[in-house]
Amino acid sequence: MSNPADARPRLRRQVLLLLVVASTGAAAFVLGTILAADGFSLLELGILFLFSALFAWITTAFWLSLLGFAVRRLGLAGRQNDRPAAAPARRGSTALVMPIYNEDPDRVVAGLRAILNSLCAQRPEGHFDAYLLSDTTDPDTWLAEELAWSRLNREFADRVSVFYRHRPRNLARKSGNIADFCESWGYRYDYMVVLDADSIMTGACLVELTARMDANPRVGLIQVPPLPVLRESLFARSQQFAGSVYGPPFAAGLAYWLEGDSNYWGHNAIIRVAPFTDHCGLPELPGREPFGGEILSHDFVEAALLRRAGWEVWLADDLDGSFEEPPPTLIDHAKRDRRWCQGNLQHLGVVAARGLRPLSRLHFVMGVMSYLSSLLWLLLLALSGLEAWRQERTEHSYFIDGDLFPNWPVSYAFEATTLLAITLGILYLPKVFGYLTLLGDRRRLAAHGGALKAALGVVLESLMSILLSPILMLFQSGFIVSILAGRSVRWAPQQRDDDETSWREAVAAHSGHTAFALLAGGVSYALVPDFFWWLTPVLAGPLLSIPLSRFTSRADVGRKLRDWGLFLTPCESEPPAVLQRLAEELAEKSAEDPQAKAPEGLSLFEQAIGDPFMNALHRTLLEREPRAKSERLRLDGLIARWQEGGPGCLSRDEKRDLLSDPTSMATLHALAWQGREDQPPGDGTAPHGAVTA
């Protein structure tokens, strides 16, 4: 006998599939009618195929947003909102895990401190610990992490235990970092909340997540959509506004449609540790990078493996209190997209894996399409231009095969205009649904500046989207071509400060886009002038990409619009306490004199050698590993070089090797202080790295 709870989402999915297929079929029929006026050519078949694939892609987002709008306005709820009447007898234990890689330690610890303060204010019944899981390779950043953790750990003593672990070898990037935690300490916890270095979550959100996991023992993962916050550049504030206005109905539609087959976005999610450890070990893909090797976008794969093992994956679209920081500039956004693009294209090697659920495979396909669609749009424009040129050169034949009656040309202007209007409507109506959802919530509407200013924000964001989307299309198309050429991506931390794009950076990143716009515009105007005017909205953004990239990166412009009440979000007008506390601490940090942290201009590596506390702290946190004789001789040679030439004669990798060995650090410390004892009386010079009182 079938379970009614399983029948409901199945019916919703069938309805959505029917709507997407019917919409795409109708649009393809209209375009086919227009193109088939004189019979189909291969060029026209290519246009029809590309248009159908892209129309199916955009109409899926349209129907999901419409569904989410209805869900929000009618108050419908999926199973992710279900809570039993009686509280579970046992509260699970939870680890907050934050993998970090060469991030600013002050920013990382400030964010974690804000989260822990918010959590402690909730007085949770369950047990919570926090872990900083470092894969940092820069020696001074590594040592700064240890000092920041030491202060944080003392601050939260007797409230929350905060642990720090540094991996000597960065195997499998972030997914390997999480896997190492699960294998080493996962047995202590029922759940883990995975955070990125810029993640912020309120204590109320964390407590509610653990309560839902306690109450639903078949749920393996709950993802909370993170809202972008805290950035001030024009580009970032437009992204924050879009996420705040358009995101809720889309997420509601996605959650209502998927229910237990939702996806994992890599952070701001709670995971049941035992099944994750048992079932989510990631294989290496066959072949060489970029398609082979380690899986970069591990989150989709881990969610699929949980579903294959029978665990449910939920999207908690109804929960507030989940935040992240967006890239501050268009170029930083593109750099992040390059990593995600390669990771998503790798999923082509996973989509046919044995035992995966159909919706898990669909998640992989949609992830690929989120980048492949850019290349398909570019190809569609190119084929449309060729077809316009062909039509321009073709004369109409009024008499065919000796017919007595003329073959009059038929106008399809009405059909073409209608199809264009429908396509544009499907692209932009989700923004309208977001605004209408906002109108139904007076408090949220006021927090966005009121009806008029929110509407102006939607218009301004849409205009920016018209200009920036073609630039992103060219970026992403280039990424795909680069990946197909075998070029892999470098693992690097994300830019998290509001640093403006310089003219040099803008020219380096966008000169190709400008050249493309000039070339495409010039060719189309010379060969098919009528098509050129249709193409101008697409070419305007790339043509102006250099000044646009520079202008949208400016924080002063973003702040000015905020003063005018434009692109306003609730996190700016009514910021929650966790964001207020973080913003205040970051403002204090930015006002501090950086030289005050480095006595006598010493690097942290030098301080870790000479300062007794730093040296002891660092050695305490190191893993004790036996060293081969050849490795010990190499490290001793580095110590001898340090004695002769000081830290400046060592490379970054050599410093990291010494920092990784507790014996070497003890030897360096002893030699530093022995050198001080050997100095003549009255010479107050401290040893290498010693911090004098």
Side-chain angles (χ1 to χ4, degrees):
M1 186 173 180
S2 62
N3 185 352
D6 294 331
R8 288 180 301 176
R10 188 180 303 118
L11 177 61
R12 295 171 199 161
R13 294 161 191 170
Q14 291 170 349
V15 170
L16 179 65
L17 178 63
L18 178 63
L19 289 171
V20 171
V21 170
S23 303
T24 304
F29 176 78
V30 173
L31 181 63
T33 301
I34 297 171
L35 294 176
D38 297 318
F40 277 115
S41 66
L42 286 177
L43 189 59
E44 290 167 330
L45 287 174
I47 291 173
L48 184 61
F49 171 78
L50 290 174
F51 174 82
S52 300
L54 290 168
F55 196 89
W57 172 244
I58 64 173
T59 200
T60 301
F62 166 80
W63 288 116
L64 282 174
S65 294
L66 179 58
L67 174 62
F69 170 69
V71 166
R72 289 266 174 164
R73 294 305 300 265
L74 299 177
L76 303 177
R79 278 187 298 145
Q80 71 272 14
N81 305 97
D82 292 347
R83 293 285 299 276
R90 175 182 173 274
R91 298 289 186 181
S93 58
T94 306
L96 310 180
V97 297
M98 182 179 284
I100 52 178
Y101 175 76
N102 290 333
E103 300 282 352
D104 176 8
D106 288 337
R107 168 60 186 87
V108 168
V109 169
L112 187 55
R113 178 181 290 110
I115 294 171
L116 295 180
N117 276 319
S118 180
L119 178 62
C120 291
Q122 295 292 314
R123 301 183 182 276
E125 296 181 21
H127 178 77
F128 287 84
D129 290 334
Y131 285 79
L132 283 170
L133 306 176
S134 175
D135 266 340
T136 292
T137 56
D138 180 73
D140 278 5
T141 305
W142 175 4
L143 293 166
E145 289 171 357
E146 293 178 347
L147 290 174
W149 162 78
S150 177
R151 292 189 293 268
L152 187 69
N153 191 36
R154 292 195 300 271
E155 181 180 343
F156 285 92
D158 301 326
R159 291 191 290 168
V160 179
S161 295
V162 184
F163 300 96
Y164 175 86
R165 186 271 287 130
H166 180 272
R167 279 203 304 172
R169 287 178 293 278
N170 305 0
L171 301 176
R173 298 181 173 89
K174 178 182 174 181
S175 62
N177 201 350
I178 296 293
D180 181 78
F181 164 81
C182 291
E183 294 165 3
S184 301
W185 299 287
Y187 66 91
R188 299 180 180 180
Y189 303 97
D190 298 289
Y191 321 123
M192 62 177 176
V193 176
V194 179
L195 303 167
D196 260 0
D198 61 351
S199 293
I200 297 294
M201 298 186 77
T202 63
C205 181
L206 293 171
V207 170
E208 176 63 19
L209 281 175
T210 57
R212 292 189 185 187
M213 294 294 274
D214 288 337
N216 298 278
R218 291 306 304 164
V219 174
L221 187 150
I222 303 178
Q223 174 69 59
V224 188
L227 276 177
V229 295
L230 292 180
R231 297 273 62 87
E232 296 187 319
S233 69
L234 173 58
F235 176 82
R237 291 199 67 244
S238 71
Q239 299 295 303
Q240 290 167 182
F241 178 81
S244 184
V245 176
Y246 316 145
F250 183 80
L254 204 59
Y256 196 70
W257 175 58
L258 291 170
E259 283 212 345
D261 283 283
S262 295
N263 210 351
Y264 173 37
W265 302 344
H267 57 93
N268 293 48
I270 189 169
I271 302 173
R272 201 175 296 271
V273 176
F276 185 88
T277 304
D278 292 340
H279 302 293
C280 295
L282 298 181
E284 282 202 7
L285 297 177
R288 300 174 58 185
E289 291 185 346
F291 287 103
E294 298 171 351
I295 296 175
L296 297 183
S297 293
H298 55 90
D299 39 15
F300 282 35
V301 181
E302 289 159 348
L305 294 175
L306 280 174
R307 290 299 296 130
R308 184 172 71 174
W311 294 89
E312 295 185 3
V313 178
W314 288 2
L315 177 64
D317 69 291
D318 61 309
L319 283 186
D320 296 323
S322 173
F323 311 103
E324 65 176 346
E325 294 180 9
T329 70
L330 177 61
I331 294 175
D332 289 314
H333 180 91
K335 289 177 180 177
R336 186 184 68 175
D337 260 4
R338 175 61 177 85
R339 298 193 299 272
W340 288 2
C341 180
Q342 180 173 330
N344 283 16
L345 291 184
Q346 278 185 316
H347 293 163
L348 291 171
V350 184
V351 67
R354 181 166 44 88
L356 296 183
R357 301 215 171 205
L359 281 176
S360 296
R361 302 185 197 277
L362 181 60
H363 285 312
F364 290 138
V365 172
M366 293 179 74
V368 172
M369 270 298 293
S370 63
Y371 292 96
L372 185 61
S373 60
S374 290
L375 184 59
L376 297 184
W377 280 116
L378 186 60
L379 289 174
L380 179 62
L381 289 172
L383 293 186
S384 299
L386 289 173
E387 174 64 12
W389 178 67
R390 188 183 73 84
Q391 293 286 352
E392 184 84 3
R393 290 166 53 89
T394 303
E395 294 185 5
H396 182 78
S397 298
Y398 286 87
F399 295 94
I400 303 174
D401 297 332
D403 287 348
L404 294 176
F405 298 97
N407 174 38
W408 297 106
V410 179
S411 172
Y412 290 97
F414 175 77
E415 290 85 346
T417 304
T418 302
L419 185 59
L420 176 62
I422 291 173
T423 304
L424 291 175
I426 284 176
L427 278 171
Y428 286 97
L429 274 176
K431 299 177 187 288
V432 177
F433 296 151
Y435 179 71
L436 293 177
T437 303
L438 201 60
L439 291 179
D441 188 331
R442 290 186 178 181
R443 182 173 179 179
R444 287 188 67 239
L445 181 62
H448 284 85
L452 177 59
K453 289 186 177 179
L456 289 175
V458 170
V459 172
L460 182 58
E461 189 280 330
S462 299
L463 292 175
M464 286 184 61
S465 178
I466 291 172
L467 291 172
L468 297 182
S469 292
I471 302 174
L472 290 173
M473 175 189 71
L474 295 178
F475 264 130
Q476 293 172 358
S477 299
F479 298 157
I480 293 175
V481 172
S482 173
I483 291 166
L484 293 176
R487 298 172 189 161
S488 187
V489 69
R490 184 176 64 90
W491 189 26
Q494 180 178 308
Q495 171 65 33
R496 305 197 190 277
D497 296 324
D498 284 311
D499 290 337
E500 295 181 4
T501 299
S502 68
W503 285 110
R504 181 187 297 272
E505 291 172 325
V507 170
H510 299 292
S511 56
H513 304 152
T514 304
F516 170 85
L518 290 171
L519 179 62
V523 170
S524 62
Y525 186 78
L527 299 180
V528 194
D530 291 340
F531 182 71
F532 166 78
W533 297 112
W534 283 96
L535 202 58
T536 50
V538 179
L539 297 179
L543 182 65
L544 301 172
S545 57
I546 293 174
L548 271 175
S549 186
R550 164 76 176 164
F551 180 73
T552 57
S553 74
R554 290 176 55 180
D556 60 332
V557 176
R559 287 191 289 267
K560 179 61 70 175
L561 289 180
R562 183 182 60 199
D563 295 339
W564 293 344
L566 295 176
F567 286 159
L568 204 61
T569 67
C571 292
E572 292 175 327
S573 57
E574 300 175 356
V578 67
L579 292 181
Q580 284 183 312
R581 188 175 291 112
L582 174 60
E584 290 168 1
E585 183 170 347
L586 293 179
E588 292 174 2
K589 293 288 184 185
S590 64
E592 290 178 359
D593 181 5
Q595 296 301 320
K597 299 181 182 180
E600 302 180 6
L602 299 176
S603 68
L604 286 179
F605 176 73
E606 295 171 275
Q607 294 179 53
I609 291 174
D611 181 76
F613 171 77
M614 286 187 62
N615 191 273
L617 173 67
H618 178 71
R619 287 190 288 117
T620 301
L621 294 171
L622 290 176
E623 297 181 9
R624 299 298 195 268
E625 292 183 344
R627 301 280 179 174
K629 185 176 181 179
S630 58
E631 176 65 8
R632 173 55 55 202
L633 289 173
R634 188 181 72 85
L635 292 173
D636 289 345
L638 296 180
I639 293 172
R641 279 172 51 195
W642 172 84
Q643 285 183 283
E644 293 178 3
C649 67
L650 301 176
S651 68
R652 191 181 81 160
D653 289 344
E654 290 169 338
K655 292 177 183 178
R656 188 172 69 242
D657 290 342
L658 289 173
L659 283 172
S660 301
D661 179 48
T663 302
S664 296
M665 290 304 295
T667 302
L668 286 168
H669 182 64
L671 289 171
W673 284 94
Q674 180 182 354
R676 182 176 189 181
E677 292 172 358
D678 292 341
Q679 289 167 2
D683 187 345
T685 305
H688 288 303
V691 181
T692 57

